[in-house]
Amino acid sequence: SFRNFIREFAMLELKSTDRFEFSLVNVNPKINNIKNLIINKEISNLNKMMENFDESVFYSIIEEIYKAPEIIIIGTRSSSVIAIYAEQMFNKLGKKATKIISDGTDNFNKFSLFDHDSIVISIAFARYPKETIRVTNFFKKNNFKIVSITDNIMSPLTPLSDITFTIPCESISITDFYATPFSVINIIIVLLSQLDKEGSISYLNKFETTAKDYGFYF
C-alpha cells in the first residue's frame, strides 16, 4: 500500500514527456497490447472508485446541488470536456448550470449575475491546471460554496473546497483517463432525476419538444 501511494504521488509530478517515456517503456506497440493496457487501466480506475466510494461525502454533494439555484462548473484544459458535458446534462434536467472552461476575463462579465447561493463544482486532476485553481480561488474569496472533484486529497483544490470528493484517474502515457469523472457526473444526474421525478419528466418533455422543433437529431 505504501509503495502504491508513493508511486501515485510521484506520478502527479511527471511532465507529459516523462509520462510518455516512463509508462510505455516495456509495452510492445501492437494494437492488442495497447488496447488491453488502456481498457484495463480504465477498469482498474472504476474498480478503485467502487471500492473507495465515500457515500456520506457524495450524499452531501447531492444535497448541496439539489437545493442550489444554480450550478457553476469549473473545468479547464482537458477537464473542460467534463464541464461541458455536466452543464449540458444539468440543463437538460432543468437545473440551471453554467460552465467556466478558461480563466479569461470574458467569463466574469456575468459574475454579478450569479446567485451567491449557487454551488461551484470545480474539476481538476493531476497536473492540476493553474487556470482551474485561479478561478476556484476567485469564487472562494467571494464566499461561494465549493465542491471539488479531484484525484487526490493533496490536490490544490482541497484547501479551497467545502467538500472534496476524490476519485482515481490514473492515466497512461500522455492521455487522460476520464471514465471515473464521467461516471460521477452520471451518478449525480440520475440521483437528481430520481429525487424529483415529476420535475425531471417535465423538463425532459420540454427538451424533447425543443429538440424536435429545432431538429437536433436525425
Side-chain angles (χ1 to χ4, degrees), residues 136-156:
T136 305
N137 188 50
F138 179 82
F139 279 96
K140 182 67 174 179
K141 286 181 177 178
N142 284 275
N143 300 314
F144 282 78
K145 180 157 283 188
I146 296 170
V147 168
S148 63
I149 299 175
T150 188
D151 59 345
N152 197 295
I153 197 66
M154 293 181 290
S155 164

Side-chain angles (χ1 to χ4, degrees), residues 107-218:
N107 283 308
F108 297 96
N109 290 337
K110 56 188 175 184
F111 179 79
S112 61
L113 301 176
F114 288 136
D115 190 317
H116 267 69
D117 290 325
S118 300
I119 186 80
V120 175
I121 301 177
S122 190
I123 305 166
F125 308 99
R127 301 156 62 200
Y128 313 113
K130 287 184 178 180
E131 285 179 296
T132 301
I133 308 307
R134 281 194 292 266
V135 175
T136 305
N137 188 50
F138 179 82
F139 279 96
K140 182 67 174 179
K141 286 181 177 178
N142 284 275
N143 300 314
F144 282 78
K145 180 157 283 188
I146 296 170
V147 168
S148 63
I149 299 175
T150 188
D151 59 345
N152 197 295
I153 197 66
M154 293 181 290
S155 164
L157 283 178
T158 300
L160 301 176
S161 305
D162 299 283
I163 304 173
T164 301
F165 190 73
T166 59
I167 55 175
C169 273
E170 188 175 342
S171 62
I172 292 172
S173 189
I174 58 174
T175 57
D176 293 303
F177 281 44
Y178 281 170
T180 49
F182 275 107
S183 294
V184 166
I185 297 301
N186 287 335
I187 294 167
I188 291 172
I189 295 298
V190 173
L191 281 171
L192 289 174
S193 71
Q194 294 302 299
L195 288 172
D196 182 14
K197 289 184 180 181
E198 289 187 7
S200 298
I201 290 172
S202 174
Y203 279 106
L204 287 172
N205 282 332
K206 290 178 182 177
F207 171 82
E208 291 300 331
T209 300
T210 303
K212 181 179 179 181
D213 290 345
Y214 196 74
F216 285 180
Y217 308 113
F218 280 103

Side-chain angles (χ1 to χ4, degrees), residues 31-127:
I31 290 176
N32 274 341
N33 291 330
I34 301 299
K35 175 200 71 178
N36 292 339
L37 188 69
I38 298 299
I39 293 174
N40 286 333
K41 177 57 69 176
E42 287 283 33
I43 291 171
S44 173
N45 284 336
L46 288 166
N47 283 333
K48 287 179 183 177
M49 185 174 78
M50 288 276 286
E51 293 167 6
N52 300 292
F53 197 93
D54 193 326
E55 290 190 13
S56 62
V57 172
F58 201 78
Y59 182 75
S60 299
I61 293 172
I62 295 296
E63 276 191 315
E64 294 296 337
I65 293 174
Y66 185 75
K67 69 184 182 183
E70 183 174 3
I71 306 158
I72 303 161
I73 309 148
I74 303 169
T76 67
R77 300 191 66 78
S78 57
S79 291
S80 63
V81 295
I82 306 170
I84 292 168
Y85 176 74
E87 179 196 43
Q88 178 182 337
M89 294 310 298
F90 281 125
N91 284 329
K92 187 176 181 179
L93 200 60
K95 296 289 291 182
K96 185 180 179 183
T98 302
K99 67 180 180 298
I100 296 178
I101 57 176
S102 79
D103 65 350
T105 55
D106 57 316
N107 283 308
F108 297 96
N109 290 337
K110 56 188 175 184
F111 179 79
S112 61
L113 301 176
F114 288 136
D115 190 317
H116 267 69
D117 290 325
S118 300
I119 186 80
V120 175
I121 301 177
S122 190
I123 305 166
F125 308 99
R127 301 156 62 200

